[in-house]
Amino acid sequence: MGSKPHRGNTKPGGSFRRTQLIIPYLLFQMVSRLSSAMLEHARPLGITVARFRVLAQLVDTDGIRIRDLVRECAVEQSAMSRVVDQLERDGLVTRRAGSGDNRAVTVWLTAEGRKTYEAAFPHALDVVNEATGDLSDAEVRQLIGLLQRMLDSTGAKLEPAPCFRSSDQLINPTLDQATD
């Protein structure tokens, strides 16, 4: 997490406490609200937010190892194993021995899993669009860029993720923000 100096006063009630510690609170509130709204749409499809995240990851990177799913979806190994077990039981994913190393199990999306993801994606997109509806495309790119930088500063080296405003409109967070 780096050895950057603290910004502001670190005493209780000081500016550090008011300005810096509010970031995790706001992030948690945003994730909580987005997850609740997404669950409302995902539940009729028989999936949870955690299942949707795994399906989405497999759409992007099919045949991924469980340990990589754990990293990409930011969940504990035991939770990921349960989610993959449930998805496999429901016929949405399959597990296969990894090429070259039979101990490395990879997870693959089935046709039914892709169909379920494609049914859930528009609803997830609606939830994100509602949350970012008051932001311009440039502000969405800026927000994504700032969150990526925060993740990078914690040691989470993730590839910049695309953001969609509609199912056919990709907003690339790495584009020059002056394009809007």
Side-chain angles (χ1 to χ4, degrees):
M1 288 220 196
S3 59
K4 294 180 183 175
H6 294 292
R7 293 186 179 116
N9 184 350
T10 59
K11 294 178 184 170
S15 62
F16 172 77
R17 204 162 161 75
R18 288 191 304 269
T19 59
Q20 300 299 309
L21 295 182
I22 198 167
I23 292 171
Y25 172 78
L26 291 173
L27 290 172
F28 175 78
Q29 287 294 320
M30 194 74 244
V31 168
S32 179
R33 289 169 193 255
L34 289 173
S35 293
S36 292
M38 290 176 87
L39 183 59
E40 196 174 302
H41 296 290
R43 193 175 278 138
L45 299 170
I47 60 173
T48 63
V49 174
R51 290 180 183 191
F52 177 78
R53 286 174 30 200
V54 171
L55 294 176
Q57 187 61 47
L58 292 173
V59 165
D60 289 341
T61 314
D62 207 9
I64 192 171
R65 293 178 298 187
I66 288 181
R67 75 175 184 187
D68 296 326
L69 276 172
V70 165
R71 184 187 71 245
E72 295 296 325
C73 295
V75 297
E76 297 291 326
Q77 175 77 38
S78 59
M80 180 58 68
S81 293
R82 278 192 307 276
V83 169
V84 171
D85 287 346
Q86 293 163 357
L87 289 168
E88 187 174 38
R89 179 198 67 213
D90 294 346
L92 303 179
V93 302
T94 60
R95 294 182 213 215
R96 300 181 197 157
S99 61
D101 183 358
N102 289 335
R103 296 172 298 163
V105 175
T106 55
V107 181
W108 296 82
L109 198 59
T110 65
E112 187 64 26
R114 183 171 299 280
K115 182 177 158 187
T116 300
Y117 170 80
E118 289 172 357
F121 178 77
H123 301 293
L125 185 60
D126 288 345
V127 169
V128 172
N129 282 337
E130 185 175 324
T132 60
D134 290 339
L135 303 177
S136 69
D137 288 351
E139 289 171 321
V140 170
R141 281 194 299 273
Q142 182 180 24
L143 175 61
I144 293 167
L146 292 170
L147 291 171
Q148 291 279 224
R149 282 177 48 201
M150 287 176 68
L151 280 171
D152 289 349
S153 73
T154 66
K157 301 295 183 191
L158 301 177
E159 292 297 316
C163 178
F164 297 87
R165 283 291 180 135
S166 69
S167 58
D168 61 347
Q169 179 188 11
L170 172 69
I171 297 174
N172 186 338
T174 60
L175 291 176
D176 179 4
Q177 294 181 12
T179 59
D180 274 341

